[in-house]
Amino acid sequence: MGILTKGKKAVLLGRNWCRDIWRNRILILDLANKDFKGRYAASYLGIVWAFVQPIVTILIYVFVFQFGMKATPPKAAGDVPYSLWLTVGIVPWFFFQDALMSATNSLMEFSYLVKKIVFKISVLPIVKIISAFYVHIFFVFLLIVLSFLFGYMPHIYMLQSVYYTFAATVLVLGVSYITASIVVFFRDLSQIISVLLQFGMWLTPIMWTMDTMRIENKWVQQMFKLNPMYYIVNGYRDCFINRVWFWEHRVWTLYFWIVTFLICGLGTVTFKKLEKHFADVL
């Protein structure tokens, strides 16, 4: 009975949370637009810097791995250029990384809003995620352009990038509700997350695959696949390179959404329990 009661409470919290988001959708978009424009307001190039840094990072990785280490895509990818294969894998990670770091610090950055009694502070992590989403849209279109330049005509499979972007957004939202709640009381968490994201990037098959790493042990392979971002990164490659629909990975799709909804449930409960103490600490 206790489990059923907790389950009902979690469902109720989730329903109220969705309702709050819908009611405050105009405010959320307005804050996201202001945050995106204001992030680089003091610099001469403005929001251009939001795109320059990821592009430079991609070019560095391409130079190191393709020209320095002579890396090649896995055999399953066919004759696709390594630079395209790498870029398709790294774009969703950039979105996850930027959105998580920004959303984690959202309550501290908008502390003046947290202290307002009538303000729904649960929307603040979403504001930061939408702000990061604007940059991600640009890079998705960049992937389409790169595919065309490398001789890959746009195809219907690319449309499911909308699905994988939505999946990544829900995942990062659930995680950020946990991290944004805790970082208010434990400020070092922000630095810890930054370090963990560096490890996470190398634990996700962005620059490597099971074939290139020669990981033959099936149990070890399954352990790597338990990382939810494994599903997202491979999904983007299915969109732009492999031409595989997401429902063809039934087991991993089911696993991803079960894990993601559990994370969202935990994040919602954690945020709700600690919410009443935010204003006092900030």
Side-chain angles (χ1 to χ4, degrees):
M1 293 296 290
I3 297 177
L4 290 175
T5 302
K6 290 181 179 179
K8 289 180 179 179
K9 287 183 179 179
V11 171
L12 182 60
L13 283 174
R15 187 183 302 168
N16 292 336
W17 172 72
C18 292
R19 185 175 58 197
D20 289 339
I21 293 175
W22 178 252
R23 288 178 176 176
N24 294 278
R25 62 190 183 279
I26 304 300
L27 174 63
I28 292 172
L29 290 175
D30 185 51
L31 288 174
N33 291 333
K34 289 180 179 178
D35 178 77
F36 180 66
K37 294 176 182 178
R39 195 183 299 185
Y40 304 95
S43 59
Y44 286 109
L45 296 180
I47 61 174
V48 173
W49 288 112
F51 309 101
V52 170
Q53 186 175 353
I55 290 175
V56 171
T57 303
I58 291 172
L59 291 175
I60 291 173
Y61 281 129
V62 169
F63 178 80
V64 171
F65 285 94
Q66 181 172 354
F67 300 104
M69 301 178 66
K70 305 298 181 182
T72 57
K75 294 179 181 179
D79 297 327
V80 61
Y82 182 81
S83 53
L84 176 61
W85 183 84
L86 174 63
T87 304
V88 172
I90 207 171
V91 163
W93 178 264
F94 278 163
F95 170 62
F96 178 80
Q97 178 178 264
D98 184 27
L100 180 58
M101 286 303 302
S102 298
T104 296
N105 299 313
S106 60
L107 297 182
M108 293 186 293
E109 187 171 336
F110 291 109
S111 59
Y112 62 95
L113 293 176
V114 175
K115 297 174 182 179
K116 290 187 177 182
I117 300 176
V118 296
F119 189 82
K120 284 288 182 181
I121 61 175
S122 58
V123 306
L124 294 178
I126 303 173
V127 168
K128 287 293 187 178
I129 293 173
I130 293 177
S131 180
F133 178 71
Y134 291 152
V135 179
H136 183 64
I137 292 175
F138 166 81
F139 279 99
V140 170
F141 280 107
L142 179 64
L143 290 178
I144 297 174
V145 173
L146 280 177
S147 299
F148 178 76
L149 292 177
F150 281 114
Y152 294 85
M153 297 300 295
H155 47 79
I156 193 171
Y157 291 91
M158 290 180 177
L159 293 176
Q160 67 179 340
S161 60
V162 176
Y163 160 76
Y164 283 107
T165 299
F166 173 74
T169 302
V170 177
L171 174 64
V172 75
L173 183 59
V175 176
S176 64
Y177 267 107
I178 299 173
T179 57
S181 302
I182 298 175
V183 77
V184 173
F185 306 94
F186 180 55
R187 302 298 174 91
D188 289 350
L189 180 62
S190 181
Q191 303 304 321
I192 293 173
I193 292 173
S194 180
V195 173
L196 291 177
L197 284 171
Q198 293 182 45
F199 280 105
M201 183 174 183
W202 294 101
L203 292 174
T204 306
I206 297 171
M207 273 77 74
W208 58 271
T209 64
M210 299 295 180
D211 296 331
T212 57
M213 294 292 286
R214 294 185 174 88
I215 300 176
E216 298 179 358
N217 188 297
K218 291 185 178 180
W219 288 103
V220 176
Q221 291 183 15
Q222 298 304 317
M223 287 296 294
F224 275 107
K225 291 180 180 180
L226 292 178
N227 173 7
M229 282 304 295
Y230 190 105
Y231 175 79
I232 299 295
V233 169
N234 278 344
Y236 269 70
R237 287 185 174 135
D238 285 342
C239 295
F240 291 91
I241 298 173
N242 303 325
R243 302 192 179 191
V244 177
W245 294 112
F246 71 88
W247 56 76
E248 295 182 44
H249 302 296
R250 294 182 183 86
V251 175
W252 288 110
T253 297
L254 180 62
Y255 165 78
F256 172 83
W257 284 111
I258 290 175
V259 170
T260 299
F261 282 133
L262 287 175
I263 292 174
C264 287
L266 179 60
T268 304
V269 172
T270 303
F271 192 93
K272 208 65 181 177
K273 282 189 175 182
L274 298 177
E275 183 178 9
K276 57 187 177 182
H277 303 293
F278 291 158
D280 297 331
V281 178
L282 293 172

